[in-house]
Amino acid sequence: MTSNEIIDLRSDTITRPTAAMRQAMADAQVGDDVFAEDPTVNLLQQKVAELLGKPAALYVPSGVMSNQLAIKVHTQPGDEVIVETDSHIFNYETGAPSILSNIQLHTIPGHRGVLRAEQLAPSVRPSAYYMPRTTLICLENTHNRAGGTVYPIDEIKRIRDFARALGIKMHLDGARLWNACVSSGIVPREYAQHFDTISVCFSKGLGAPVGSALVGSEDAIQRARRFRKILGGGMRQAGIIAAGALYALDNHVERLKEDHDKARAFAERVARNPAFQIDLENVQTNIVVIDISKTGKSTSEVLEVLRAKGVLLTDANFTSIRAVTHLDVAAEQVSRAADIVATSFRG
Ligand SMILES: *Cc1c(COP(=O)(O)O)cnc(C)c1O
């Protein structure tokens, strides 16, 4: 490999389909999915529903659409939905809940993206005609902005018990649920049983080119299908892309462990440079958040210097940058990137 090679650790969404995945896509049987006649889409939906222990699933173009369909299905205009302050739904979905579902989000800051059940009671609205109704709680596992952290299952159970007693629905943004499962050893359905709906992505660490799925009851998924059509998300021979997702489910889940190992090695190496602060306990899956305040530079200045040396990272917040390991970077490349970062900005 050449020394001017670019090592791209910006996101696990930059992965391109492997040759074997492309072959599976080329070979896919297809039909018109708006008529529910695409055998590959149907197979994917059946498989995901089974994996998550729910009756039904819907293949959708993106994780944002999947989350937004869930919010639409569970709420009425004017309702309030509780989310963690750093959640993807609150930060990276263009304010869609207010546009599409006419609801407002009520944010609560968590620790490592995780809310404790005790924090919820003061945020649930008392029933008074002049107050919004709290109808949904959304959790995120793994938590993206917090740095790929895994939600402790016991805390999920406690939140579920709290919500159930009040008739509040639960949605899981499980874009990286696969990473959580590989890290914790807990199977998907064990997490999923505590939620009414779950969104999972195939286009992150799993390496498929397109798509997510929303999983839940027959009724919830039937209504989500209707809203998907309203949003223009009714696809025709979608089996071509669904085949990539199926291939990813069969072949790319267990290997996420490699991504986690690469992230840990990267974090440990970079953390030896005192200019970079990394909370190693926070490195639980494939994301590493690096606090750069001690460099005395802005995140964009740091990113620019690293880019010039061939390492692409992104900013996480005002004082932190982020590295994400994935299918398209080998352990050797990640270790080279770690050396480059670790030897930059030494005080
Ligand atoms: C990426 C992501 C999404 C949205 O996925 P898109 O396919 O990019 O729309 C939702 N939630 C989390 C936590 C994510 O990381």
Side-chain angles (χ1 to χ4, degrees):
M1 257 168 251
T2 59
S3 57
N4 56 5
E5 167 205 33
I6 301 283
I7 304 169
D8 193 342
L9 299 174
R10 287 172 301 164
S11 174
D12 49 8
T13 55
I14 66 140
T15 51
R16 282 148 306 177
T18 61
M21 183 184 282
R22 283 174 189 271
Q23 192 58 54
M25 295 171 73
D27 293 342
Q29 302 217 1
V30 296
D32 190 335
D33 183 48
V34 172
F35 297 158
E37 283 175 5
D38 188 298
T40 307
V41 170
N42 290 341
L43 184 62
L44 174 65
Q45 290 174 165
Q46 194 189 329
K47 186 160 184 151
V48 178
E50 262 167 37
L51 263 175
L52 298 195
K54 298 286 183 196
L58 184 69
Y59 185 53
V60 297
S62 72
V64 168
M65 189 185 286
S66 189
N67 281 335
Q68 295 307 321
L69 291 177
I71 292 172
K72 187 74 185 172
V73 161
H74 294 307
T75 61
Q76 294 296 321
D79 284 357
E80 198 161 79
V81 173
I82 293 178
V83 293
E84 201 275 328
T85 307
D86 279 334
S87 63
H88 195 280
I89 289 174
F90 182 54
N91 292 280
Y92 303 122
E93 304 196 4
T94 59
S98 66
I99 303 168
L100 301 174
S101 297
N102 307 113
I103 59 99
Q104 63 188 14
L105 296 175
H106 185 131
T107 59
I108 308 177
H111 176 61
R112 303 187 199 281
V114 172
L115 299 175
R116 281 173 300 106
E118 297 76 44
Q119 288 179 279
L120 295 168
S123 297
V124 172
R125 304 290 184 171
S127 65
Y129 79 88
Y130 46 79
M131 283 199 161
R133 296 187 315 149
T134 307
T135 45
L136 178 66
I137 297 170
C138 301
L139 307 182
E140 188 173 314
N141 190 22
T142 66
H143 195 292
N144 181 344
R145 205 173 189 193
T149 48
V150 179
Y151 231 102
I153 188 100
D154 290 338
E155 203 57 63
I156 293 176
K157 283 183 198 156
R158 295 173 64 229
I159 294 172
R160 166 90 254 190
D161 290 344
F162 171 83
R164 187 176 279 154
L166 295 170
I168 298 172
K169 293 282 205 290
M170 296 268 289
H171 170 68
L172 176 64
D173 178 353
R176 293 187 183 79
L177 182 61
W178 320 111
N179 296 80
C181 292
V182 165
S183 172
S184 66
I186 294 171
V187 295
R189 61 168 58 216
E190 213 177 318
Y191 283 116
Q193 65 178 320
H194 302 296
F195 296 89
D196 297 285
T197 49
I198 304 99
S199 167
V200 290
C201 289
F202 309 112
S203 55
K204 302 276 166 86
L206 292 199
V210 188
S212 292
L214 182 67
V215 189
S217 68
E218 291 285 0
D219 176 61
I221 296 310
Q222 204 182 318
R223 284 188 294 136
R225 185 186 300 279
R226 191 173 164 77
F227 291 122
R228 183 186 69 172
K229 188 72 177 149
I230 290 172
L231 296 178
M235 300 181 284
R236 301 296 178 174
Q237 284 72 37
I240 293 278
I241 49 175
L246 265 174
Y247 182 90
L249 274 184
D250 289 340
N251 297 282
H252 291 173
V253 176
E254 269 138 54
R255 67 150 303 285
L256 291 172
K257 167 90 169 56
E258 295 168 31
D259 295 344
H260 300 175
D261 292 345
K262 286 182 283 192
R264 167 121 315 250
F266 179 91
E268 284 172 357
R269 173 77 182 95
V270 172
R272 277 189 255 145
N273 180 345
F276 297 122
Q277 311 278 295
I278 299 176
D279 176 358
L280 290 172
E281 246 186 86
N282 207 71
V283 184
Q284 300 170 10
T285 55
N286 66 329
I287 302 176
V288 181
V289 176
I290 309 161
D291 187 313
I292 54 107
S293 344
K294 293 235 165 103
T295 62
K297 310 268 189 235
S298 69
T299 55
S300 54
E301 286 169 324
V302 171
L303 291 173
E304 202 39 57
V305 168
L306 297 178
R307 171 181 283 270
K309 296 182 179 186
V311 177
L312 304 189
L313 307 182
T314 53
D315 43 1
N317 57 50
F318 286 123
T319 55
S320 301
I321 59 173
R322 182 185 94 153
V324 184
T325 56
H326 53 79
L327 188 61
D328 278 12
V329 282
E332 182 274 324
Q333 292 174 295
V334 174
S335 116
R336 199 136 37 85
D339 282 340
I340 291 169
V341 179
T343 52
S344 303
F345 300 99
R346 280 205 169 269

